[in-house]
Amino acid sequence: MQTLELRGVNKSFGSLQVLKDINLTIGKGEFAAIVGPSGCGKSTALRMFAGLEFPSEGEALADGESITKPAPNRMLIFQEHALYPWSTVEDNVGLGLELAGIGKAERRERINAVLEKVNLSGFNKYYPSQLSGGMRQRVAIARALIMDPDVLLLDEPYGALDAMTRLTMQNELLRLWQGTGKTMLLITHDIDEALYLADKVYVMSARPGQVVRTIDLAMPRPRNRNGEEFAAHRREIMNLLGLDEG
């Protein structure tokens, strides 16, 4: 697994500064989350770890090495699943293996194994249009997991799902993380989602985004969303973001 770090990061697009003096560290096998208002640079920070954006100043690091390009050991999962509609589930999931020159027999074996992990066994020949939103997002996660990355970078992966499906998918993601021990970074607007899933929550201010607080969560899992400690952390984050809980 990998340690991820942003060290003294500033980022501007022209005259617009979106990140200011960002310092954060995500340990090997840790589940971290970033919450903050729209436009604060959360996704920009995530894309730096993916090698898709680069600091104007400072460094984005993986295991102490500067990130200069995308890498197969750091996989990014978007809110939109971005599946190929003309391809079956197994073809979507196995595309990376095919491009890597993996033979059909091994591809089939690995596809079946990863579909079992995400509770999609038996859906190999289905097309995305035949699946629910939650199932399509499971396919997107399977497509990332099949490459056995060290890091999963999740950019609002459940933002487009209904509330009940979202809760189910959160539990499935937690199960996957606990089963693989991968390093995970989640970007979300959902404070409860961050508190339910993460070991550590970084709270960012409005643009230019700064980390205004780092919250280490010692709550045992499974977490009680109605518990006193959970509610106290929720109030803390909402106060930092200037939100009215009422």
Side-chain angles (χ1 to χ4, degrees):
M1 302 306 108
Q2 289 191 340
T3 296
L4 303 175
E5 186 178 3
L6 295 182
R7 188 183 295 169
V9 164
N10 293 288
K11 177 66 177 179
S12 296
F13 295 101
S15 61
L16 180 67
Q17 186 174 14
V18 293
L19 293 173
K20 183 177 179 182
D21 194 27
I22 298 293
N23 294 281
L24 59 84
T25 302
I26 301 155
K28 294 181 191 294
E30 189 171 58
F31 199 138
I34 301 177
V35 298
S38 296
C40 73
K42 301 185 298 296
S43 292
T44 299
L46 188 80
R47 288 168 64 85
M48 288 180 182
F49 288 129
L52 299 174
E53 294 284 356
F54 304 96
S56 303
E57 297 177 274
E59 292 183 288
L61 306 164
D63 281 345
E65 299 291 328
S66 184
I67 297 171
T68 59
K69 60 182 179 181
N73 58 359
R74 297 187 308 276
M75 298 296 291
L76 179 58
I77 298 171
F78 298 98
Q79 182 178 102
E80 296 298 327
H81 51 75
L83 302 177
Y84 293 118
W86 56 84
S87 296
T88 62
V89 165
E90 66 181 12
D91 287 341
N92 270 288
V93 171
L95 179 61
L97 297 181
E98 184 178 359
L99 294 174
I102 305 299
K104 284 186 179 180
E106 184 179 344
R107 285 208 309 271
R108 187 178 303 112
E109 183 179 342
R110 289 172 65 174
I111 288 167
N112 288 337
V114 79
L115 288 179
E116 184 176 357
K117 278 186 179 178
V118 299
N119 291 328
L120 284 177
S121 292
F123 287 89
N124 302 51
K125 300 299 184 182
Y126 282 64
Y127 288 87
S129 63
Q130 297 173 298
L131 305 177
S132 68
M135 294 170 78
R136 288 194 291 268
Q137 198 61 300
R138 287 192 195 113
V139 176
I141 292 171
R143 183 175 55 188
L145 285 176
I146 203 167
M147 303 307 293
D148 195 25
D150 294 324
V151 176
L152 283 181
L153 304 166
L154 303 128
D155 193 358
E156 288 276 358
Y158 305 139
L161 302 179
D162 65 84
M164 290 186 66
T165 303
R166 186 169 186 148
L167 293 177
T168 299
M169 293 297 292
Q170 288 170 7
N171 284 321
E172 290 192 1
L173 181 62
L174 198 57
R175 176 181 57 80
L176 280 172
W177 170 69
Q178 291 172 326
T180 62
K182 295 186 184 301
T183 305
M184 292 200 182
L185 176 58
L186 169 72
I187 301 300
T188 182
H189 287 93
D190 187 332
I191 295 170
D192 279 22
E193 183 171 75
L195 292 173
Y196 187 71
L197 293 172
D199 297 313
K200 180 186 294 181
V201 177
Y202 292 96
V203 185
M204 288 182 62
S205 67
R207 189 175 64 237
Q210 295 179 281
V211 176
V212 293
R213 188 160 303 171
T214 303
I215 300 173
D216 291 300
L217 298 172
M219 294 182 289
R221 293 185 172 96
R223 291 176 178 165
N224 179 4
R225 298 172 193 261
N226 298 314
E228 184 178 335
E229 188 175 0
F230 197 103
H233 283 304
R234 183 192 296 122
R235 287 192 297 272
E236 178 184 10
I237 293 173
M238 292 186 78
N239 286 337
L240 287 167
L241 298 176
L243 300 175
D244 182 0
E245 194 173 12

